[in-house]
Amino acid sequence: MIDARIMERFAALVMLVALALALPLKAQGPGSDRMPVDLVAEGAPQPGETWMVALHFMPSTPEWHGYWSNPGDAGLGMELEWDLPDGWEVGEPLYPLPKRLVIGGLMNHVYEGDYAVLVPIAVPENAAVANVAPISVTANYLACTDKICVPQQARLALDPAQSGFDPRFGEWRAAIVPQLDSSAQFEFTPTHLRVGIPIPAETALGDLHLFLGTPELGEGDRPDYTGVQTFISEGNLLVAEVPIEPIAVPDNVEIAVESRPEEITGILDLGNGRGVRFTALQGDVPLEGVKPIRGGGAEPVLWQLLAAALVGGLLLNIMPCVFPILSLKALSLAKAGGDERAARRDALAYTAGVVLACAALGATILLLRSAGEQVGWAFQLQEPVVVVGLLLLALAITANFLGLFEVPGMAISGGAPSRGGSFSTGLLAAFVATPCTGPFMAVALGAALVIRPIHGLLVFVALGIGLALPFLLVGFVPAVRRRLPKPGAWMETFRRWMALPMGLTALALAWLVWRIGGWDYLALVLVLAVAALAGLALGGLFQRRARSGSVAVFAGLVVLLGIGAALLPRPEAQAASAESLLDPIGYSEAALAEARASGRPVFIWFTADWCVTCKVNEGVAIEREATRAAFEQAGVIALRGDWTQPDEEISRMLTQQGAAGVPLYLWYAPGAEAEQLPQVLTPDLLVEKARNSQPRR
């Protein structure tokens, strides 16, 4: 049985080849309008020496990227056909350090922006370089965006006799990954390729990754490019363990099984733009049983992830971002004071609503991520129309608590609990809880996005069960239920008071609408809000006068508001981030690299305007004068990633850190990797981190 992920990769490769055959090649000019290329010489060739030329690639727009010699799961490596004078010999192309780009679950080894591939050419000792004929090359390569790929062909010529020094070669040479002067060794285990690379113990190790230049490993195996790579270090030896998998082929196709290679090549990315090229020979690779320094070894056990999600969902009941919905929960608890059978029915209905909502959100996230979208927990709150819908919903709940209208099954007039009302309450509780991630949730939800999809879905189900667990205890444990206050007239007063937190929630959502779209957008939304309150008041009037038209009024109002929300113009740009005492730099991968290269401590916080936990942490620990003073004294560079609206670079960072959403807090000590701080910050945590980062005197 062939793994489904492997079949997905095979299908993607088939589609890519079909696209390459279907599109005509560009036969004229330097490359094409997608990815132009120039052939440039470092200078004039000299007899008996190596002459270096460069293929300089210049994407027409930033979204286009090129590929390394081993493109990964998809793409095509560059092919060169040279026409050289007799006796002149071309060497292997030399590449800069590639980047990783995952699209649709497929790993791509790419170059973004301008880049140059250097090609050494050995010139014979007796070559008449003064009157040698021009050389030429036909380059076939691929230019891609995240959505399309276009085959390219460039026919390029260069006259060695007319070649002069090009000052750009200094920069291009510096970008080429240097060759390791010592040989590495490799061996195979049943599930991994182990490569032992001699690296001095004092080498600073950053975000490690091994780019294999050998795409086929023999015996029907290939590298699992998206698998977790583990790194082990002891003394002057660094061992990389790369997972392997069978090559995907259709059942009716037979392929010859080749033996293991005698030699493999690749690039070891040391982090921070540094890397080394290596050549590895078959041999014994030691360090079995040594604790990994990167990669974490085995995946978390499923039951541990389920337990973490269950406890996280339970604790989510007391997190600040869930507090507004506690009003609905409190009313449901009060209603459960009736007979035992009704209490169990009510608890099961509520649980079904919570679990269904969590499972649906989890399934949607997993499906979108499998399609290449960079989304995480609470992704739906990045859509303005969802925020508008929540604002209208919060206003409706506030109006219900104030007695403006009644919802059958959710009102507390002394009647029996309603399964439909409890189910709806569960759906709403889970949906509104998504802006928040509490303790234990970060690891569980982060792992749920990278483990097998069916197991990931179980993690989201466990989260829902944890969120609903207090209601299950009330419904099925009589001792807990007996401790609840007896139903009575106090419930109506309590209901009115619960309008306060829901009203504050509506105000917070109105503020978020303003942050997303500005005053003009908020004004349009408030028109909808006034119409909603007017419609609810009209429906409530029909209810109080015992008229039968209230259902039609509410149904028409829902349709009208849905059409109005759909017709709202989409905000063009996100509002600027709020002022901060720390004067942070806006997060980007380039900004982080520059900050880390400064040799100073770096603190990044990833936040969103819809994340209540984020805002609480900012007030408690980040936006404090003591924090600002400590950061200034220690020279800490602060970066802020605002995820209020979608941002691919932030999404990639969250994925790399195993986080399903915000908040996420990272601390980089000078020369060290990221340290994840707790999701609930204490007031002095950042102050202490800054003080400890100062050099001892």
Side-chain angles (χ1 to χ4, degrees):
M1 181 68 69
I2 296 176
D3 188 272
R5 185 159 61 100
I6 298 177
M7 289 305 298
E8 288 177 2
R9 292 177 176 176
F10 180 77
L13 289 173
V14 171
M15 292 177 63
L16 186 61
V17 172
L19 178 62
L21 294 175
L23 291 174
L25 296 178
K26 301 282 186 178
Q28 71 282 356
S32 77
D33 56 350
R34 307 300 200 284
M35 182 85 73
V37 58
D38 285 336
L39 180 61
V40 184
E42 185 174 17
Q46 299 298 323
E49 297 185 4
T50 298
W51 184 43
M52 193 69 72
V53 298
L55 294 164
H56 180 213
F57 295 89
M58 300 160 286
S60 57
T61 54
E63 67 265 26
W64 293 97
H65 58 255
Y67 286 91
W68 185 46
S69 58
N70 178 6
D73 285 319
L76 292 172
M78 177 178 62
E79 296 181 355
L80 302 176
E81 298 177 7
W82 291 90
D83 184 5
L84 300 173
D86 291 339
W88 295 45
E89 295 182 359
V90 64
E92 289 293 324
L94 305 176
Y95 287 83
L97 186 66
K99 295 182 179 179
R100 289 167 281 166
L101 177 64
V102 179
I103 302 175
L106 303 177
M107 173 68 76
N108 297 262
H109 301 151
V110 304
Y111 297 104
E112 298 172 336
D114 285 19
Y115 68 98
V117 178
L118 303 190
V119 181
I121 298 177
V123 182
E125 291 186 1
N126 58 352
V129 296
N131 56 3
V132 69
I135 69 169
S136 63
V137 62
T138 299
N140 293 288
Y141 54 102
L142 196 65
C144 292
T145 70
D146 291 351
K147 302 187 184 307
I148 63 170
C149 288
V150 180
Q152 312 281 278
Q153 186 180 79
R155 294 191 177 97
L156 308 168
L158 184 65
D159 187 351
Q162 300 298 323
S163 298
F165 174 74
D166 193 307
R168 294 175 295 177
F169 255 87
E171 178 183 350
W172 294 342
R173 275 189 177 274
I176 298 301
V177 180
Q179 176 71 37
L180 197 64
D181 56 5
S182 302
S183 295
Q185 289 186 306
F186 73 91
E187 66 179 6
F188 286 91
T189 72
T191 58
H192 287 78
L193 166 66
R194 305 183 79 231
V195 185
I197 306 173
I199 296 291
E202 58 272 15
T203 302
L205 302 178
D207 183 14
L208 296 170
H209 186 81
L210 192 142
F211 293 94
L212 269 178
T214 308
E216 296 184 4
L217 302 176
E219 297 187 7
D221 290 332
R222 69 189 292 274
D224 181 2
Y225 295 107
T226 57
V228 176
Q229 296 185 355
T230 302
F231 293 90
I232 307 165
S233 179
E234 188 171 276
N236 294 326
L237 182 64
L238 179 70
V239 176
E241 292 190 336
V242 180
I244 59 178
E245 62 183 4
I247 296 175
V249 294
D251 293 336
N252 59 347
V253 176
E254 294 185 4
I255 60 172
V257 178
E258 299 181 355
S259 59
R260 296 293 193 189
E262 297 181 356
E263 176 183 288
I264 64 172
T265 60
I267 292 177
L268 175 63
D269 185 353
L270 297 170
N272 299 325
R274 301 168 299 126
V276 292
R277 283 183 291 134
F278 66 88
T279 299
L281 305 176
Q282 284 186 346
D284 179 58
V285 181
L287 300 190
E288 288 89 350
V290 179
K291 183 179 179 181
I293 60 170
R294 299 285 190 276
E299 291 185 355
V301 181
L302 179 60
W303 73 263
Q304 294 175 334
L305 295 178
L306 296 177
L310 185 73
V311 175
L314 179 63
L315 294 179
L316 196 59
N317 285 278
I318 61 173
M319 294 298 289
C321 58
V322 188
F323 179 75
I325 207 65
L326 289 181
S327 54
L328 290 178
K329 294 186 178 184
L331 297 180
S332 297
L333 287 171
K335 290 192 296 179
D339 65 272
E340 184 172 337
R341 186 176 179 182
R344 291 181 177 180
R345 222 174 27 235
D346 191 39
L348 288 174
Y350 175 82
T351 301
V354 171
V355 171
L356 179 62
C358 288
L361 284 170
T364 303
I365 292 173
L366 293 172
L367 286 172
L368 289 174
R369 289 179 70 88
S370 68
E373 297 292 332
Q374 295 289 335
V375 297
W377 185 248
F379 74 97
Q380 71 278 8
L381 295 179
Q382 294 177 331
E383 290 296 326
V385 68
V386 175
V387 178
V388 172
L390 280 175
L391 169 59
L392 298 177
L393 185 59
L395 286 174
I397 296 172
T398 304
N400 174 259
F401 284 178
L402 291 174
L404 192 64
F405 72 103
E406 301 293 344
V407 179
M410 294 184 71
I412 55 168
S413 56
S418 162
R419 282 174 291 181
S422 296
F423 178 80
S424 302
T425 302
L427 288 173
L428 183 62
F431 188 74
V432 177
T434 54
C436 194
T437 54
F440 301 99
M441 285 180 62
V443 173
L445 294 185
L449 302 181
V450 296
I451 61 178
R452 293 179 58 187
I454 185 63
H455 293 166
L457 189 59
L458 288 176
V459 171
F460 285 100
V461 170
L463 174 68
I465 294 174
L467 184 59
L469 191 57
F471 275 151
L472 285 174
L473 293 176
V474 168
F476 286 85
V477 181
V480 175
R481 197 164 55 254
R482 284 194 294 268
R483 294 181 178 273
L484 295 175
K486 299 294 182 182
W490 68 270
M491 296 174 66
E492 187 63 33
T493 303
F494 179 76
R495 176 188 178 192
R496 306 283 183 182
W497 275 105
M498 287 300 97
L500 180 60
M502 289 310 302
L504 293 176
T505 302
L507 285 176
L509 288 167
W511 173 81
L512 179 55
V513 169
W514 167 72
R515 291 282 298 150
I516 291 174
W519 289 110
D520 292 341
Y521 189 70
L522 176 61
L524 293 174
V525 174
L526 290 180
V527 171
L528 279 181
V530 172
L533 291 176
L536 293 174
L538 179 61
L541 183 63
F542 273 75
Q543 287 177 329
R544 287 188 292 274
R545 295 185 178 181
R547 295 183 178 179
S548 59
S550 60
V551 175
V553 171
F554 291 139
L557 180 62
V558 170
V559 173
L560 179 63
L561 293 178
I563 294 174
L567 292 178
L568 283 173
R570 186 175 182 85
E572 294 183 1
Q574 178 179 330
S577 298
E579 294 294 327
S580 170
L581 287 175
L582 303 186
D583 192 22
I585 302 169
Y587 173 79
S588 69
E589 293 166 352
L592 174 59
E594 183 178 351
R596 295 184 63 190
S598 69
R600 296 160 58 186
V602 179
F603 170 64
I604 315 176
W605 78 96
F606 295 95
T607 182
D609 287 337
W610 38 260
C611 174
V612 180
T613 305
C614 302
K615 297 306 174 186
V616 171
N617 281 331
E618 288 165 18
V620 168
I622 297 176
E623 300 297 342
R624 299 176 63 228
E625 185 61 35
T627 304
R628 185 203 62 77
F631 275 31
E632 183 175 329
Q633 185 173 2
V636 178
I637 300 176
L639 283 79
R640 175 171 56 189
D642 193 333
W643 209 43
T644 302
Q645 290 185 335
D647 185 296
E648 288 192 4
E649 286 191 283
I650 294 177
S651 298
R652 279 199 299 269
M653 186 59 159
L654 295 176
T655 300
Q656 291 172 10
Q657 294 296 323
V662 292
L664 174 65
Y665 306 104
L666 300 177
W667 183 273
Y668 289 87
E673 283 303 293
E675 175 191 355
Q676 283 197 29
L677 304 182
Q679 286 193 312
V680 179
L681 300 178
T682 56
D684 295 325
L685 176 62
L686 296 178
V687 174
E688 291 299 321
K689 295 295 294 183
R691 289 174 179 170
N692 293 338
S693 68
Q694 298 183 51
R696 305 285 183 183
R697 295 185 178 180

